[in-house]
Amino acid sequence: MATTSPPGVGLLKGLGVTIKQMFKPAVTQQYPHVKPDLPPRTRGVIALMDENCTVCMLCSRECPDWCIYIDSHKETVPPAKEGGRARTRNVLDRFAIDFALCMYCGICVEVCPFDALFWSPEFEYSEYDIDKLLHEKGKLREWMDTVPPPPALDEGADAPGEVATAIEKANQELEAAKAKAAEEARAKEQGEQAPAAGDAAAAAPAEPEVKAGEIDQETFDRLIAEGKSERIARSKAKAAYVKKEKQRLKEQAEQQAAAAPAAEEPKVEAGEIDQETFDQLIAEGKSERMARAKAKAAYVKKQKAKLRAEAEQAGGGDAVEAPAAEGSGEAAAGEAAPSAAPRKADIEVEGAGEIDQETYDALIASGKSERIARSKAKAAWVRKKKQEQMDAEGDA
Amino acid sequence: MSIAEMANAAAGLAQFSPAPSLLEIGDSFWLSAVLKIAVVLAVFFVVPLVVGYMEHKVMGHQQARLGPMEAGPHGSLQLVADGIKFIQKEDLIPSAADKWVFAIAPGVAMVPAILIFLVLPLGPGIWGVDFELGLFYALAVGSVTTLGILMGGWASANKFSLIGGLRAAAQLIAYELPLILAGIAVALQAGTLSLVGIVEAQSTFFIPGTEINLWYLFPQILGFGIFFIAAMAELARPPFDMPIADSELVFGYMTEYTGIKYAMYMLTEYAGMVSMSALMVVLYLGGWQLLPGVPMPGCGGSGNIFDCNALGVGLGVAVTLGKIMLLTFLMVWARTTYPRLREDQLQRFSWLVLVPLSLLNLAIIAVAKGVF
Amino acid sequence: MSDMSTRETVMPGTAPGEDLLIEVTGDGDFQTADMQLSIGPAHPATHGVFRIILEMDGERVVDAHPVIGYMHRGFEKLAEHRDYRQIMALVNRHDWLSGFSNEMGVALAVERMLEMEVPERAQWIRMLIAEWNRILNHLMFTGSFALELGAITPMFYAFREREDIQHMLESATGGRLHFTYNQVGGLKIDLPKGFLRRSAELSAITRARLQDYKDLVLGSDIFQARTVGIGPLSTDVALSYGVSGPTLQATGIPEDSRVTEPYLKYGEIDVPVPVGENGDSFDRFYCLLHRIEASLDVIDQIHDHMPSGPVNVKLPKQVKAPEGATYVRTENPLGQLGYWLESDGGRTPWRLKMRTPSFSNVAVMPHLLRGTLVPDAISVLGSVFFVVGDIDR
Ligand code: SF4
Ligand code: SF4
């Protein structure tokens, strides 16, 4: 099986390989001067969102090497309403993970039903003493700031389970809304506007596809040329873009009616709960877990309702505009369009790498590790930017 | 009387007049001795470190790495840091070891490596002594190093060390012969064993019937190849590093050594690389001559490379060091590229290939010398 | 003192109560005995805590006794007290260079017991990651075998390639070695966006870089001098010891579960199986290197086949395999991996027996080592590819 080349040729070829490599760039990563760029799914450390933890003990029970330590006590919550029943709930006293034992399997994160545990790519927590690898609640909470958002899925992927269910539900609700909208339109316009209304209702779900961060370059350039400030120009251009996009989407609305909510739903943040409902349920004496779950559902419902209302408003505006019968159509559309854009969560801030220097310095000064400070500062920057954009939208 | 004259007189070689070293300070025996020792020690301690750093970096980049980067700018002080680390380390002697032999073995290996530098001409006038038997001396003293290795391997009371030491001894016997035979061919062509004399002979060697000056590399390219391979084998440099063979023998004869003694072995190896390269520079690459047939700036004398002023001396030393670097680079390059041979293959290669070839080389040179 | 005597050596033997007997010949001061050289448990050539005692006459190996068990972690017993999700995180550690393939074996076993229909996409993704895992594993041995023969550079090149691949796999699985990406019924989560594009890119890059290994190692005269004809293994002996994987393929038979007993979707694509001739160290390495190429071919085909859809099925809260038993064999990077899963219907297996390739491959070692020289012994040790954790479990 040996090669047939004359003796020595193999030796020379080998020399060629090494000398060629010598003039290519090295692949060494200059850690710790340059931090590695780790993917968001990296299992670096487990972060705890202790507000979410209900002390259900699932994680600690499922952990293959039992390295999660949880202590809690029961607290009695006085009845919220007169005559209500006082209830008990679990209060988390201690939550610790022994990273000397942890095998980084991810089961705890996977089983936690309340989204209290997350993986973070943060890895710089090695210690000289194995005892020091036992990290408590406070430290685990700090790591929460380094948890990146999950990456987008592959094009061929199905939506994840909870999203899929939500989509299904939203679809049903949408059908109902559509029918209702059509009916209303029919009633209002006495039949003659029916096709337009149908169109409009269909356009509504397509709304969220309009990307909030985009601007209409033409409008922007025109406004800049007109001497408007960049900020104003940008926000107006954004509104114009949304309007245009909507126009375009209306054409495809029929096909997209089903697909659109998929993009819409995930925006309802899964972890949030509706505080009002929660308090009410707790007061009613429901268990905390139940209350939380219901509150979560309530939140999702409310959020969805809000979105739907927005959508309908926008759609209604268009519907009126379409026949151009009433003068108010223009105005309604004008109002509706921006309403789709500036929800805080939707604003995409460019330049994810930026940090808020002020926050950063303050944190460093307070003795935080550089990495933590950086990630917090990053978050602060994003927050600021978002606020700025919101303000800009408001101005417009 | 200089050291060289004393030595030559002792050897009954009074008729040989050694080329004067620039390191002689007047007639003061002691002052010049101290200066020479200082120069030799400086070369012994500094140049191997530079070679070691070069090896780190070259190996790094050939392996898609950067090599040392932290100690000093671009890691240039890495070996100094290593040296300090070795000094701090605990000096362990295995309880079953032959303590005295174990303790002096690294010294036995290192001292000859220093002594070689005494005769190596590094530039015009920059040499310790010009022995008439310089080449003989260099090769003879160089092989004593192996004794230190064998001692260390034996005294460690460790089977891996023992095998390593025995391999080193076997390797020395096998490769000393082609090394010497290749060297003899050069001495034959030059008509002298003095290293300075060989450099001079190269600067005045012309292709017969022409005015073209050549180094011995060209007529003796075969001899150079043999000498280079044999030198690598003698130094136990990869791909001939069977005495160490870390994947087989853990670390061969050095397995039980720690701290400063280990550092002495390592320094010996790198000093060996430098002295062998310097020897090759003298024998085949025209010593401190810049290019064949090109007079050195600032120099006169025979072949235009002796009787130099400060510029010529500085340039000469720089040229020699540059050539040494080039040769050690080749050794490093071979190290990154090749797997290790097997001991018996190595022996066979020596006795069945290198020895006959070096005899052939010798014969060719002898005939050529007779004809022209 | 008698002319011929035997005595027990100070060396502990291969098993308790079985100390090695060494023949001592000669009289008085001239007694000679074969030298015993203990390679391991901590020795550079064993990459792990594996020990092999060589009886030597000079540098020639008279006999060899592998001593295993230094890394015994009781996987089979541990598995009896873990539910299937936990087992998934456990088994990717016995052969730590083939984590994904190990998990997949268990998942396949449980799915077979449950007669569960695994979504198509999950099966293709499993194949994709398993092949990348195979390449990771083979690259590691490409580097380490060369390193054992004294060539340092291929190791660094192998790690250069491995780094790129691991980074890609990390983006999907979150792990670099212990992927924990399988679950009963599919995968934990779908691939992230851009994974398939990166995978196609890396496939081309890795393929191009393989030429470096061919020039630097396979084609090198010194490498051939060290490996051709060293430790030849015949097909019969190999089969009688249960040797599998590249070590078996080097003896000339294209046995590969992916071809002979296809699982997942391997039946739908073309899996090349490189074979050797003599079963010597060179052939073993030749097969190893060409298996990387074969895996790249498979990966390219998988890219063309990748369907869309879900990657897992909805599971009950507690996965319980029904009562019964099954045996699943898969082609792990190092050879045939078998899981015998026996369940009494509970949440943990009643018995999980592992048939690991490294164990059988190491068993043939004494046969190969007898009569070789120490450097050749290393060449054999490095080319009968094994992972210590996979031997001891
Ligand atoms: S990652 Fe696994 S081992 Fe670590 S705490 Fe979570 S469940 Fe336990
Ligand atoms: S599973 Fe989640 S909610 Fe339950 S105890 Fe663990 S962290 Fe808290």
Side-chain angles (χ1 to χ4, degrees):
Chain A
M1 302 282 308
T3 53
T4 46
S5 61
V9 172
L11 295 180
L12 291 178
K13 271 191 181 168
L15 287 176
V17 172
T18 41
I19 199 78
K20 256 188 263 158
Q21 178 60 47
M22 196 167 137
F23 298 104
K24 287 185 204 157
V27 295
T28 312
Q29 298 180 357
Q30 281 294 76
Y31 180 83
H33 309 303
V34 181
K35 303 284 178 198
D37 167 31
L38 295 170
R41 283 187 191 171
T42 300
R43 298 199 298 267
V45 77
I46 301 165
L48 169 75
M49 183 79 131
D50 55 357
E51 301 92 311
N52 281 5
C53 178
T54 60
V55 202
C56 73
M57 302 296 279
L58 263 183
C59 53
S60 122
R61 226 176 319 140
E62 282 291 322
C63 173
D65 35 17
W66 304 294
C67 63
I68 304 181
Y69 309 113
I70 302 179
D71 285 341
S72 67
H73 69 270
K74 287 213 192 306
E75 216 167 60
T76 315
V77 186
K81 275 189 287 187
E82 197 62 40
R85 195 153 51 87
R87 336 199 315 90
T88 54
R89 67 184 180 110
N90 290 323
V91 180
L92 188 64
D93 294 330
R94 174 176 190 229
F95 191 106
I97 298 181
D98 189 348
F99 286 101
L101 282 178
C102 175
M103 58 196 264
Y104 297 84
C105 64
I107 290 178
C108 50
V109 176
E110 206 183 314
V111 296
C112 176
F114 300 107
D115 285 326
L117 292 175
F118 296 89
W119 278 115
S120 151
E122 168 69 39
F123 63 94
E124 292 169 307
Y125 54 97
S126 52
E127 296 284 353
Y128 283 107
D129 189 345
I130 202 164
D131 297 342
K132 297 205 181 108
L133 282 170
L134 179 67
H135 287 299
E136 299 288 340
K137 198 164 74 178
K139 185 80 186 159
L140 298 177
R141 180 65 181 86
E142 242 166 55
W143 276 318
M144 216 33 232
D145 299 323
T146 62
V147 173
L153 291 185
D154 187 67
E155 288 82 355
D158 257 18
E162 64 272 19
V163 178
T165 344
I167 290 172
E168 209 172 285
K169 220 157 141 203
N171 268 344
Q172 287 165 3
E173 282 172 17
L174 189 74
E175 285 300 314
K178 212 183 198 178
K180 212 170 114 206
E183 217 170 81
E184 272 169 15
R186 205 177 292 124
K188 215 194 272 172
E189 306 291 331
Q190 316 207 319
E192 59 166 348
Q193 308 287 5
D199 259 18
E207 209 89 344
E209 289 252 313
V210 181
K211 274 187 219 136
E214 304 277 346
I215 62 165
D216 185 53
Q217 199 56 40
E218 213 180 289
T219 316
F220 182 76
D221 292 348
R222 185 168 49 80
L223 285 167
I224 289 285
E226 279 174 14
K228 293 273 191 289
S229 89
E230 203 204 299
R231 213 180 76 170
I232 304 243
R234 185 174 297 278
S235 62
K236 287 216 168 156
K238 221 182 260 179
Y241 170 80
V242 172
K243 206 151 112 196
K244 272 196 188 167
E245 273 301 278
K246 229 187 290 167
Q247 199 63 34
R248 190 175 63 77
L249 286 173
K250 218 154 96 180
E251 261 115 61
Q252 316 166 353
E254 214 55 73
Q255 299 97 291
Q256 292 197 346
E264 160 81 280
E265 279 318 308
K267 281 180 188 157
V268 179
E269 267 157 55
E272 304 279 347
I273 61 164
D274 186 53
Q275 199 56 41
E276 208 179 295
T277 317
F278 181 76
D279 293 347
Q280 191 195 332
L281 286 166
I282 290 285
E284 278 174 17
K286 294 271 194 285
S287 86
E288 203 204 304
R289 210 179 92 171
M290 182 76 77
R292 189 175 292 277
K294 287 214 169 153
K296 217 184 265 180
Y299 172 80
V300 171
K301 210 147 88 199
K302 268 195 192 167
Q303 218 39 3
K304 237 182 266 168
K306 200 168 112 205
L307 286 175
R308 205 165 46 239
E310 283 170 15
E312 259 166 35
Q313 200 186 346
D318 278 356
V320 184
E321 186 191 16
E326 284 161 83
S328 66
E330 199 67 53
E335 263 171 38
S339 81
R343 277 202 307 121
K344 194 165 181 176
D346 289 359
I347 297 174
E348 269 172 32
V349 183
E350 280 157 64
E354 304 279 346
I355 61 164
D356 186 53
Q357 198 55 40
E358 211 178 290
T359 317
Y360 180 77
D361 292 346
L363 285 167
I364 288 287
S366 71
K368 293 276 188 281
S369 89
E370 202 204 300
R371 207 178 141 99
I372 300 234
R374 185 173 296 279
S375 64
K376 285 208 173 166
K378 221 183 262 179
W381 187 82
V382 171
R383 231 172 13 241
K384 268 197 191 164
K385 277 280 134 164
K386 276 192 185 169
Q387 199 54 49
E388 265 173 45
Q389 286 197 12
M390 292 263 295
D391 293 344
E393 306 287 8
D395 288 351
Chain B
M1 194 155 64
S2 73
I3 305 172
E5 279 162 340
M6 288 202 303
N8 286 327
L13 296 164
Q15 72 275 30
F16 172 75
S17 59
S21 166
L22 279 182
L23 303 176
E24 305 278 356
I25 302 177
D27 271 343
S28 162
F29 173 83
W30 290 110
L31 269 183
S32 34
V34 167
L35 181 63
K36 283 172 183 174
I37 289 170
V39 168
V40 164
L41 284 183
V43 171
F44 176 76
F45 282 109
V46 175
V47 182
L49 288 194
V50 177
V51 168
Y53 176 64
M54 184 272 288
E55 174 168 46
H56 279 333
K57 278 299 184 189
V58 167
M59 279 180 71
H61 284 280
Q62 289 189 343
Q63 295 169 343
R65 300 181 286 127
L66 290 173
M69 290 295 284
E70 298 297 322
H74 277 257
S76 48
L77 298 179
Q78 182 63 45
L79 283 167
V80 178
D82 279 352
I84 295 169
K85 178 193 73 179
F86 283 131
I87 292 171
Q88 290 170 345
K89 283 205 164 183
E90 188 185 356
D91 187 21
L92 287 177
I93 299 182
S95 56
D98 191 340
K99 304 220 166 34
W100 277 105
V101 182
F102 185 84
I104 61 171
V108 173
M110 192 169 88
V111 169
I114 303 179
L115 289 179
I116 291 189
F117 283 94
L118 207 57
V119 293
L120 293 174
L122 296 178
I126 308 298
W127 53 77
V129 205
D130 178 23
F131 279 143
E132 186 183 9
L133 288 175
L135 178 60
F136 173 81
Y137 167 88
L139 293 175
V141 169
S143 16
V144 177
T145 294
T146 310
L147 201 60
I149 291 174
L150 186 57
M151 281 165 67
W154 168 255
S156 292
N158 178 316
K159 289 171 188 170
F160 293 113
S161 301
L162 179 61
I163 297 178
L166 288 178
R167 281 184 183 186
Q171 208 158 309
L172 171 87
I173 294 167
Y175 278 82
E176 195 80 334
L177 199 57
L179 196 72
I180 291 172
L181 285 174
I184 286 176
V186 173
L188 185 67
Q189 188 173 1
T192 172
L193 280 170
S194 152
L195 293 177
V196 178
I198 291 173
V199 173
E200 185 178 1
Q202 287 188 65
S203 67
T204 52
F205 169 69
F206 299 98
I207 297 178
T210 64
E211 285 291 290
I212 304 169
N213 178 221
L214 275 188
W215 294 340
Y216 286 171
L217 174 68
F218 300 101
Q220 301 213 25
I221 184 83
L222 180 64
F224 175 72
I226 294 168
F227 198 97
F228 189 80
I229 292 172
M232 286 219 288
E234 174 123 351
L235 293 168
R237 290 285 303 172
F240 305 107
D241 59 339
M242 299 77 170
I244 295 172
D246 52 327
S247 57
E248 302 161 22
L249 302 182
V250 187
F251 219 62
Y253 58 88
M254 282 190 260
T255 306
E256 298 289 355
Y257 280 95
T258 57
I260 191 76
K261 290 189 189 131
Y262 174 81
M264 279 163 83
Y265 269 131
M266 287 314 274
L267 189 59
T268 305
E269 179 180 337
Y270 284 85
M273 276 172 79
V274 175
S275 58
M276 276 295 176
S277 300
L279 211 52
M280 278 184 266
V281 170
V282 169
L283 295 185
Y284 297 100
L285 296 180
W288 59 89
Q289 212 184 343
L290 193 54
L291 283 170
V294 178
M296 293 278 288
C299 291
S302 87
N304 283 328
I305 58 164
F306 290 95
D307 301 340
C308 298
N309 56 23
L311 170 72
V313 172
L315 192 67
V317 172
V319 167
T320 311
L321 290 179
K323 287 176 183 171
I324 289 176
M325 279 297 156
L326 194 72
L327 289 174
T328 46
F329 168 76
L330 291 181
M331 293 187 190
V332 173
W333 189 9
R335 178 175 180 191
T336 43
T337 306
Y338 296 134
R340 179 183 308 122
L341 274 164
R342 208 169 57 207
E343 188 64 30
D344 62 318
Q345 286 166 342
L346 175 92
Q347 296 284 343
R348 202 165 293 132
F349 184 60
S350 171
W351 294 111
L352 297 185
V353 180
L354 288 186
V355 171
L357 276 183
S358 50
L359 284 172
L360 178 71
N361 179 50
L362 188 58
I364 292 172
I365 300 298
V367 170
K369 179 106 179 161
V371 171
F372 301 111
Chain C
M1 201 167 276
S2 72
D3 193 28
M4 263 282 213
S5 67
T6 47
R7 63 179 165 84
E8 278 184 9
T9 63
V10 287
M11 265 205 175
T14 50
E18 264 183 47
D19 285 345
L20 295 177
L21 295 181
I22 286 285
E23 237 173 47
V24 182
T25 53
D27 254 339
D29 285 347
F30 297 99
Q31 283 187 349
T32 64
D34 284 347
M35 178 163 90
Q36 283 192 338
L37 193 64
S38 179
I39 307 261
H43 183 278
T46 58
H47 37 83
V49 273
F50 169 67
R51 180 178 178 207
I52 192 158
I53 301 171
L54 301 180
E55 272 176 47
M56 303 203 308
D57 178 11
E59 284 217 24
R60 195 164 290 281
V61 177
V62 179
D63 206 354
H65 310 272
V67 186
I68 63 170
Y70 289 94
M71 257 201 109
H72 180 60
R73 288 165 289 170
F75 270 116
E76 294 178 6
K77 202 71 196 163
L78 276 175
E80 288 168 20
H81 299 278
R82 295 288 185 285
D83 66 24
Y84 294 104
R85 176 161 47 194
Q86 293 173 335
I87 290 177
M88 226 53 94
L90 191 64
V91 291
N92 61 20
R93 286 149 216 257
H94 62 80
D95 175 357
W96 50 75
L97 291 177
S98 335
F100 188 83
S101 314
N102 302 344
E103 296 166 18
M104 199 172 75
V106 175
L108 286 174
V110 182
E111 284 155 13
R112 191 179 291 178
M113 302 251 305
L114 285 166
E115 290 173 11
M116 185 182 266
E117 201 60 52
V118 179
E120 292 248 323
R121 184 175 167 84
Q123 300 197 27
W124 285 101
I125 295 179
R126 273 184 182 176
M127 278 162 63
L128 179 64
I129 308 240
E131 290 308 319
W132 276 120
N133 196 187
R134 190 184 312 278
I135 291 171
L136 277 182
N137 176 304
H138 287 357
L139 279 172
M140 178 77 210
F141 282 102
T142 305
S144 77
F145 181 41
L147 185 66
E148 260 143 48
L149 294 181
I152 354 169
T153 307
M155 194 72 176
F156 289 102
Y157 291 177
F159 271 84
R160 173 186 67 189
E161 268 75 287
R162 275 173 60 90
E163 180 56 41
D164 288 345
I165 299 171
Q166 279 182 321
H167 191 264
M168 175 182 76
L169 293 186
E170 191 179 17
S171 76
T173 67
R176 292 163 62 86
L177 218 51
H178 305 308
F179 302 106
T180 338
Y181 190 42
N182 277 290
Q183 68 180 35
V184 174
L187 302 162
K188 287 208 167 143
I189 185 170
D190 208 305
L191 300 174
K193 201 176 169 124
F195 182 92
L196 292 175
R197 191 170 28 96
R198 180 71 183 140
S199 168
E201 259 171 43
L202 264 188
S203 162
I205 293 174
T206 313
R207 196 184 291 275
R209 283 177 177 172
L210 278 183
Q211 191 57 40
D212 280 1
Y213 301 98
K214 288 181 187 162
D215 286 345
L216 196 58
V217 188
L218 203 64
S220 163
D221 297 51
I222 300 181
F223 176 79
Q224 290 177 9
R226 286 296 306 278
T227 53
V228 174
I230 303 300
L233 182 63
S234 71
T235 310
D236 292 343
V237 176
L239 287 178
S240 68
Y241 277 94
V243 169
S244 56
T247 315
L248 176 64
Q249 285 155 10
T251 68
I253 54 168
E255 156 63 37
D256 187 322
S257 315
R258 290 176 294 169
V259 178
T260 52
E261 198 180 275
Y263 50 99
L264 294 175
K265 297 283 175 190
Y266 281 114
E268 292 178 23
I269 53 174
D270 175 34
V271 182
V273 181
V275 292
E277 275 166 23
N278 314 314
D280 55 12
S281 290
F282 182 84
D283 283 2
R284 288 190 279 267
F285 185 77
Y286 174 91
C287 285
L288 186 84
L289 202 55
H290 286 80
R291 271 166 68 106
I292 299 181
E293 241 173 355
S295 283
L296 289 171
D297 290 347
V298 172
I299 285 170
D300 291 346
Q301 294 177 56
I302 295 173
H303 287 149
D304 300 338
H305 280 85
M306 188 63 76
S308 57
V311 290
N312 42 33
V313 295
K314 208 161 158 40
L315 291 173
K317 213 163 188 176
Q318 187 65 258
V319 177
K320 287 177 181 162
E323 208 172 326
T326 189
Y327 181 76
V328 168
R329 68 170 194 156
T330 55
E331 182 72 11
N332 241 35
L334 294 181
Q336 213 182 87
L337 175 78
Y339 285 119
W340 168 258
L341 175 64
E342 208 168 333
S343 170
D344 56 2
R347 53 189 282 271
T348 65
W350 185 80
R351 174 94 170 96
L352 183 70
K353 165 86 184 99
M354 302 170 182
R355 181 255 183 251
T356 52
S358 305
F359 181 79
S360 316
N361 291 1
V362 164
V364 80
M365 207 82 90
H367 177 87
L368 295 178
L369 290 182
R370 266 171 227 134
T372 56
L373 298 170
V374 173
D376 292 343
I378 302 301
S379 157
V380 171
L381 215 59
S383 65
V384 176
F385 311 106
F386 64 87
V387 168
V388 180
D390 202 29
I391 304 173
D392 294 346
R393 277 127 46 186

